[in-house]
């Protein structure tokens, strides 16, 4: 349903927040952090990470126009999807989502399509925005 009514304007007064000085020590940050080195080899090299999702004890990492899955120890599990021009193949992944059913969804900005994959990574559906 489309409406021409103007959106309600919400005003937030952040004066008190901005005027207070808050200090966070490195110890506070580091005590809640864990470094997990990701496996790399001739089949999995990462140049630039665009997004990381943690779902079902796995890291889904969108990088270099690819989506790779790692376990909590950083070991490579599998790659999801295929880059190309064929059926079920994407051109340019610009975002990654995982829904409440565990479906892995890619947004391809070049084709304006959504690619749906099963939780095991297998492709099963495509949505074309027209």
């Amino acid at each position: 349903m489309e409406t021409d009514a103007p959106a309600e304007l919400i005003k937030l007064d952040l004066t008190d927040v901005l005027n207070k000085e808050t200090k966070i020590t490195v110890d506070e940050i580091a005590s809640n952090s864990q470094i997990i080195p990701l496996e790399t080899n001739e089949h999995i090299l990462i140049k630039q990470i665009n997004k990381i999702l943690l779902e079902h004890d796995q890291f889904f990492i969108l990088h270099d126009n690819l989506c790779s899955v790692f376990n909590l120890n950083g070991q490579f599990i599998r790659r999801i999807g295929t880059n190309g021009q064929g059926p079920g193949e994407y051109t340019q992944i610009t975002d990654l989502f995982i829904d409440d059913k565990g479906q892995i969804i890619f947004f391809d900005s070049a084709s304006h399509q959504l690619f749906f994959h099963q939780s095991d990574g297998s492709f099963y559906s495509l949505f074309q925005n027209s």
Side-chain angles (χ1 to χ4, degrees):
M1 179 173 140
E2 243 179 74
T3 179
D4 291 331
E8 181 180 338
L9 182 63
I10 299 172
K11 294 183 180 181
L12 299 174
D13 184 3
L14 300 176
T15 306
D16 288 341
V17 174
L18 295 174
N19 289 333
K20 291 183 180 175
E21 189 175 313
T22 304
K23 293 182 180 179
I24 299 174
T25 66
V26 173
D27 290 338
E28 289 174 302
I29 297 170
S31 68
N32 295 323
S33 299
Q34 181 180 5
I35 296 173
I36 301 173
L38 300 176
E39 175 183 352
T40 57
N41 58 46
E42 66 274 3
H43 303 292
I44 181 68
L45 297 173
I46 297 176
K47 181 178 177 184
Q48 178 179 344
I49 294 177
N50 302 95
K51 187 170 190 176
I52 300 174
L53 296 177
L54 176 60
E55 290 286 330
H56 308 292
D57 294 332
Q58 295 179 332
F59 292 107
F60 293 80
I61 301 182
L62 179 59
H63 67 96
D64 310 310
N65 202 32
L66 301 168
C67 178
S68 298
V69 183
F70 295 83
N71 67 17
L72 294 179
N73 295 320
Q75 294 172 318
F76 176 72
I77 298 173
R78 69 180 170 277
R79 185 164 288 137
I80 298 176
T82 305
N83 186 347
Q85 300 293 321
E89 296 177 338
Y90 60 83
T91 306
Q92 182 64 48
I93 301 175
T94 51
D95 212 344
L96 163 70
F97 310 92
I98 300 175
D99 69 10
D100 56 356
K101 297 176 187 172
Q103 297 177 109
I104 303 142
I105 306 164
F106 296 156
F107 174 66
D108 184 335
S109 63
S111 66
H112 301 283
Q113 295 176 324
L114 293 174
F115 290 79
F116 293 82
H117 295 80
Q118 304 278 356
S119 57
D120 68 358
S122 59
F123 171 77
Y124 77 92
S125 183
L126 177 70
F127 175 77
Q128 173 72 48
N129 186 12
S130 38

